[in-house]
Amino acid sequence: MSALLTVTDLRAYYGQVQALHGLQFEMKEGSMTTLLGANGAGKTTTLRAICAMVRSTGSIQFAGTPLLGRSTEAIVKLGIAHVPQGRGTFTSMTVEENLQLGAITRKDKEIASDIERMYAHFPVLKQRHTQQAGTLSGGEQQMLAVARALMLRPRLMLLDEPSFGLAPLVVRDLFRILGKINREDKVSILVVEQNAQLALELADHAYVIETGRIVMSGTATDIASNEDIRKSYLGY
Amino acid sequence: MELFTNQVLAGIATGAIYACMALAVVMIYQAIDQLNFAQGEMAMFSTFLAWQMIQWGVPFWGAFALTLVISFAGGVMIERLLFKPLANAPILTHVAGFIALFAILNSVAGLTWDFTIKQFPSPFGSAPFLGSQLISTHQAGMIAVTLVLLLALYFFFQFTRIGLAMRAAAAQPESARLVGINTSWMVALGWGMASAIGAIAGMMIAPVVFLEPNMMGGVLIYGFAAAVLGGLSSPFGAVIGGFLVGIFENLAGTYIPGVGNELKLPIALALIITVLVVKPNGLFGRSVVKRV
Ligand SMILES: Nc1ncnc2c1ncn2[C@@H]1O[C@H](COP(=O)(O)OP(=O)(O)OP(=O)(O)O)[C@@H](O)[C@H]1O
Ligand SMILES: [Mg+2]
């Protein structure tokens, strides 16, 4: 399988502050890859750089298309859906409107049936479909954010700490659904997680970031079974 | 009592104009979070275009439709050429931009069509409405146009994809870009729609106040008052606000001693300030429900 996403020498800047220092990694089509690292390591910045939400240099290739220099909305249209840290749902709109917005760039006739599929994945969203997104619980909002991203029918989904603030049971459930989506719908997933143990259970590949650089990479099993890495970088 | 009903009805009729203007104000405010001081001049300019077409022999509704199309395109162009380059500039730069636009439109209209007042035809005539002496067919027509416009906008924002995209871009621009919405074009679209709505207001009010380059000055202040009263985020509120301001203006002019036509404008300004102090979100402004 060829690489779906190839990131080389990625540097990102917030004003004068440099947050990524020549980051390098790649991701295969159909893979579920996780980016791990401590607070402030640059995980969020990496996802933001892919979506042109922070000034960056270097190279990001998505299925052979260079992304740097494109606008966020153009990148989304290539099939990259981003669930930002802190969810990024449209709080003043209803659940159903959020799902429709996820598909706003699509022109096919299957949007309504996709909304039904999302309700099948996340039954609680169906019960709340006329409710304002801002009034959902944290876990429900996270499900909505994921469902909204899937409505794009993305080739690649970027998830920034989907487990943040959720009860362990809800997290399990969410990751089970993500695994299912990854296998059945062939959506490649790049997920940033604080919960390294859980992320490594699900992912096939893992990269560890430290202060804007990749310091470790390997299959999820290798990383999870390497006690040194676990102790020094992942803290469990 | 009859005087009272009379004044309320007259208030609703003038209120329809303020409601139209307020709708235009709300459209822009939703798109860029700012009040467009040149909104009235844009409406005046559109009305002159319609007048010119009618002079050339175009039938009223033909001129009306053409004016809407041209105004829409003009609004989009103004945004692309003048305000898009200012997108990240400080607020005062925008204000300067609005004032420049105001001055340009006002003087170009004056130069082209001069400052003498002109008759503008009403498509509804000016006979008493349903035989009533209280309100004319033109005023009734104006109210109907405002309500139809409001319904059309409601339908557009609630049931079309592009309306949904515009709402999303206005509410949360960064999230909107993340679902692939070109937020910059949504702003331009908002300008185009506001400009077309303003044109409708201009063409409805011109038969009442006569057409001249300064015709919209007072109307825009009332439009602002209506928009603020209704809540700057709500088209529905803007229309209700428009009617309320119209009624208030007429009643104050009739019943408060000393408030003649000269004092009506300060009353509108006082209303704006009172609303901003007492209920900053207006009557129908949405305060977004947030979980903490
Ligand atoms: N808006 C910003 N302005 C300036 N510096 C920023 C900004 N956002 C992030 N940074 C800096 O960039 C670095 C990387 O931040 P980033 O948000 O990518 O970390 P992270 O790995 O996602 O951390 P966390 O696990 O806490 O979410 C940090 O040093 C941070 O201080
Ligand atoms: Mg982060």
Side-chain angles (χ1 to χ4, degrees):
Chain A
M1 264 195 282
S2 63
L4 177 67
L5 185 73
T6 314
V7 173
T8 14
D9 197 27
L10 183 63
R11 290 155 203 276
Y13 304 85
Y14 294 101
Q16 295 301 311
V17 184
Q18 185 170 356
L20 299 182
H21 304 266
L23 202 81
Q24 200 115 353
F25 72 96
E26 63 172 44
M27 221 189 128
K28 293 203 187 329
E29 177 107 57
S31 134
M32 175 133 155
T33 301
T34 181
L35 286 180
L36 305 171
N39 292 124
K43 307 181 296 293
T44 297
T45 307
T46 305
L47 299 193
R48 291 175 65 89
I50 295 171
C51 287
M53 293 164 78
V54 56
R55 188 167 62 84
S56 8
T57 64
S59 145
I60 305 174
Q61 299 272 335
F62 175 67
T65 313
L67 296 189
L68 284 188
R70 281 169 204 269
S71 68
T72 301
E73 53 267 28
I75 290 169
V76 171
K77 283 183 193 141
L78 292 175
I80 300 183
H82 183 171
V83 180
Q85 195 165 9
R87 304 191 184 98
T89 53
F90 295 91
T91 47
S92 60
M93 308 223 185
T94 67
V95 167
E96 185 133 342
E97 284 173 338
N98 268 273
L99 295 178
Q100 272 161 357
L101 280 165
I104 200 92
T105 57
R106 284 171 50 182
K107 296 194 169 57
D108 58 273
K109 299 251 175 293
E110 290 165 21
I111 294 173
S113 64
D114 271 7
I115 291 183
E116 287 310 316
R117 279 183 47 222
M118 291 310 141
Y119 289 155
H121 278 311
F122 307 102
V124 63
L125 295 184
K126 190 180 176 81
Q127 290 163 27
R128 310 224 181 275
H129 72 281
T130 56
Q131 197 169 320
Q132 253 189 38
T135 65
L136 298 179
S137 81
E140 290 163 348
Q141 284 196 42
Q142 194 64 62
M143 292 178 204
L144 178 59
V146 171
R148 186 227 84 205
L150 286 170
M151 286 301 295
L152 179 71
R153 291 200 170 172
R155 273 179 88 177
L156 172 63
M157 185 148 90
L158 311 176
L159 290 164
D160 201 341
E161 298 198 23
S163 72
F164 184 79
L166 303 189
L169 273 178
V170 182
V171 174
R172 288 259 155 215
D173 213 33
L174 184 67
F175 273 70
R176 184 183 54 73
I177 295 169
L178 288 176
K180 191 167 151 198
I181 288 160
N182 176 240
R183 286 188 310 275
E184 290 174 9
D185 301 342
K186 306 275 180 291
V187 180
S188 308
I189 298 180
L190 178 59
V191 57
V192 162
E193 257 302 330
Q194 290 289 342
N195 189 337
Q197 192 172 0
L198 184 63
L200 287 171
E201 269 174 43
L202 260 131
D204 44 63
H205 265 77
Y207 291 90
V208 181
I209 306 188
E210 198 181 45
T211 54
R213 290 179 188 83
I214 302 283
V215 290
M216 270 319 145
S217 70
T219 65
T221 346
D222 285 350
I223 299 260
S225 58
N226 185 328
E227 203 164 326
D228 288 346
I229 299 179
R230 265 191 9 222
K231 286 218 170 94
S232 44
Y233 295 111
L234 309 179
Y236 76 94
Chain B
M1 194 58 211
E2 200 190 312
L3 180 68
F4 180 81
T5 351
N6 220 328
Q7 288 301 325
V8 169
L9 265 174
I12 291 177
T14 36
I17 296 299
Y18 305 151
C20 268
M21 243 8 247
L23 274 176
V25 166
V26 165
M27 287 294 308
I28 293 266
Y29 186 79
Q30 286 287 75
I32 61 175
D33 271 342
Q34 280 170 38
L35 296 175
N36 176 6
F37 303 117
Q39 197 96 64
E41 302 315 283
M42 288 168 63
M44 170 276 294
F45 203 89
S46 298
T47 312
F48 264 113
L49 293 179
W51 178 82
Q52 187 64 68
M53 284 183 240
I54 292 168
Q55 293 300 301
W56 286 336
V58 182
F60 183 91
W61 291 111
F64 183 90
L66 265 174
T67 302
L68 290 196
V69 173
I70 297 172
S71 302
F72 180 87
V76 170
M77 257 174 54
I78 289 174
E79 195 278 335
R80 290 285 98 174
L81 297 177
L82 190 57
F83 289 96
K84 181 174 175 249
L86 300 182
N88 296 316
I91 190 159
L92 272 180
T93 315
H94 280 254
V95 173
F98 291 136
I99 292 172
L101 185 61
F102 183 104
I104 292 169
L105 288 174
N106 191 284
S107 35
V108 171
L111 261 165
T112 318
W113 293 290
D114 73 55
F115 286 87
T116 56
I117 62 167
K118 297 177 172 58
Q119 293 271 4
F120 192 89
S122 163
F124 308 109
S126 53
F129 180 59
L130 298 176
S132 141
Q133 297 302 314
L134 298 179
I135 147 172
S136 72
T137 45
H138 178 73
Q139 288 170 317
M142 240 157 50
I143 296 172
V145 166
T146 308
L147 294 179
V148 167
L149 185 60
L150 179 65
L151 261 174
L153 281 177
Y154 174 78
F155 183 85
F156 174 79
F157 281 113
Q158 218 56 40
F159 299 112
T160 69
R161 290 189 2 128
I162 186 92
L164 181 63
M166 281 181 77
R167 279 196 289 145
Q172 278 158 269
E174 181 154 283
S175 302
R177 279 193 287 277
L178 278 181
V179 294
I181 295 169
N182 187 329
T183 48
S184 158
W185 269 106
M186 294 300 123
V187 171
L189 204 56
W191 271 84
M193 287 176 64
S195 170
I197 295 168
I200 296 178
M203 288 184 279
M204 289 296 116
I205 193 179
V208 183
V209 301
F210 299 109
L211 179 60
E212 50 109 2
N214 297 317
M215 68 186 249
M216 296 303 282
V219 177
L220 182 62
I221 302 279
Y222 281 107
F224 280 156
V228 169
L229 178 64
L232 281 164
S233 58
S234 158
F236 174 74
V239 167
I240 299 294
F243 286 127
L244 287 180
V245 169
I247 294 170
F248 183 70
E249 174 202 5
N250 270 277
L251 291 182
T254 312
Y255 290 106
I256 302 177
V259 177
N261 274 324
E262 298 75 25
L263 269 182
K264 279 180 172 180
L265 219 49
I267 286 208
L269 294 172
L271 187 67
I272 293 181
I273 291 165
T274 313
V275 174
L276 285 180
V277 171
V278 177
K279 203 165 184 322
N281 282 331
L283 297 176
F284 301 92
R286 154 177 353 106
S287 54
V288 180
V289 193
K290 275 217 179 77
R291 288 183 72 98
V292 276

Short mmCIF file of all heavy atoms in Angstrom, two decimals, chain A residues 62 68 79 139 148 160 183 194 217 226 231:
data_model
loop_
_atom_site.label_atom_id
_atom_site.label_comp_id
_atom_site.label_asym_id
_atom_site.label_seq_id
_atom_site.Cartn_x
_atom_site.Cartn_y
_atom_site.Cartn_z
N PHE A 62 -0.81 14.73 0.32
CA PHE A 62 -1.99 13.90 0.60
C PHE A 62 -2.38 13.22 -0.69
O PHE A 62 -2.80 13.88 -1.65
CB PHE A 62 -3.13 14.78 1.13
CG PHE A 62 -4.42 14.02 1.33
CD1 PHE A 62 -4.53 13.04 2.31
CD2 PHE A 62 -5.52 14.28 0.53
CE1 PHE A 62 -5.72 12.35 2.50
CE2 PHE A 62 -6.71 13.59 0.71
CZ PHE A 62 -6.81 12.62 1.70
N LEU A 68 0.33 22.19 1.38
CA LEU A 68 0.78 23.52 1.80
C LEU A 68 0.49 24.53 0.70
O LEU A 68 0.72 24.28 -0.48
CB LEU A 68 2.29 23.52 2.11
CG LEU A 68 2.68 22.89 3.44
CD1 LEU A 68 4.16 23.12 3.72
CD2 LEU A 68 1.85 23.44 4.58
N GLY A 79 -11.04 15.75 1.00
CA GLY A 79 -11.45 14.57 1.75
C GLY A 79 -10.78 14.43 3.10
O GLY A 79 -10.59 13.32 3.60
N GLY A 139 -19.91 14.13 26.12
CA GLY A 139 -19.76 12.91 25.34
C GLY A 139 -20.61 12.94 24.08
O GLY A 139 -20.18 12.56 23.00
N ARG A 148 -20.28 14.40 12.48
CA ARG A 148 -20.21 15.54 11.56
C ARG A 148 -19.02 15.37 10.60
O ARG A 148 -19.13 15.56 9.39
CB ARG A 148 -20.06 16.84 12.36
CG ARG A 148 -20.10 18.11 11.59
CD ARG A 148 -18.96 19.02 11.99
NE ARG A 148 -17.74 18.70 11.29
CZ ARG A 148 -16.52 18.95 11.71
NH1 ARG A 148 -16.31 19.50 12.87
NH2 ARG A 148 -15.47 18.62 10.98
N ASP A 160 -8.53 15.12 17.29
CA ASP A 160 -7.67 15.68 18.32
C ASP A 160 -8.25 15.40 19.70
O ASP A 160 -9.22 16.03 20.10
CB ASP A 160 -7.50 17.20 18.09
CG ASP A 160 -6.27 17.73 18.79
OD1 ASP A 160 -5.78 17.05 19.71
OD2 ASP A 160 -5.81 18.83 18.41
N ARG A 183 -12.34 0.16 9.78
CA ARG A 183 -12.33 -1.12 9.05
C ARG A 183 -13.39 -1.18 7.96
O ARG A 183 -13.11 -1.51 6.82
CB ARG A 183 -12.56 -2.27 10.04
CG ARG A 183 -11.37 -2.60 10.91
CD ARG A 183 -11.63 -3.87 11.70
NE ARG A 183 -12.92 -3.84 12.40
CZ ARG A 183 -13.11 -3.29 13.60
NH1 ARG A 183 -12.09 -2.73 14.24
NH2 ARG A 183 -14.29 -3.30 14.17
N GLN A 194 -4.15 11.59 24.58
CA GLN A 194 -3.43 11.58 25.86
C GLN A 194 -3.49 10.18 26.46
O GLN A 194 -2.58 9.73 27.13
CB GLN A 194 -4.10 12.55 26.85
CG GLN A 194 -3.94 14.01 26.52
CD GLN A 194 -2.53 14.49 26.73
OE1 GLN A 194 -1.74 13.86 27.43
NE2 GLN A 194 -2.19 15.60 26.09
N SER A 217 8.96 5.97 16.48
CA SER A 217 7.89 5.52 15.61
C SER A 217 7.93 4.02 15.50
O SER A 217 8.96 3.41 15.75
CB SER A 217 8.02 6.16 14.23
OG SER A 217 9.13 5.63 13.57
N ASN A 226 7.34 -1.85 24.33
CA ASN A 226 8.65 -1.35 24.71
C ASN A 226 8.54 -0.56 26.02
O ASN A 226 8.04 0.56 26.05
CB ASN A 226 9.21 -0.46 23.59
CG ASN A 226 10.63 -0.01 23.89
OD1 ASN A 226 10.99 0.18 25.04
ND2 ASN A 226 11.41 0.14 22.84
N LYS A 231 7.63 4.10 29.64
CA LYS A 231 7.94 4.81 30.89
C LYS A 231 8.35 6.25 30.60
O LYS A 231 7.90 7.19 31.25
CB LYS A 231 9.07 4.07 31.63
CG LYS A 231 8.55 2.79 32.27
CD LYS A 231 9.20 2.57 33.63
CE LYS A 231 8.52 1.45 34.39
NZ LYS A 231 9.21 0.15 34.17
#
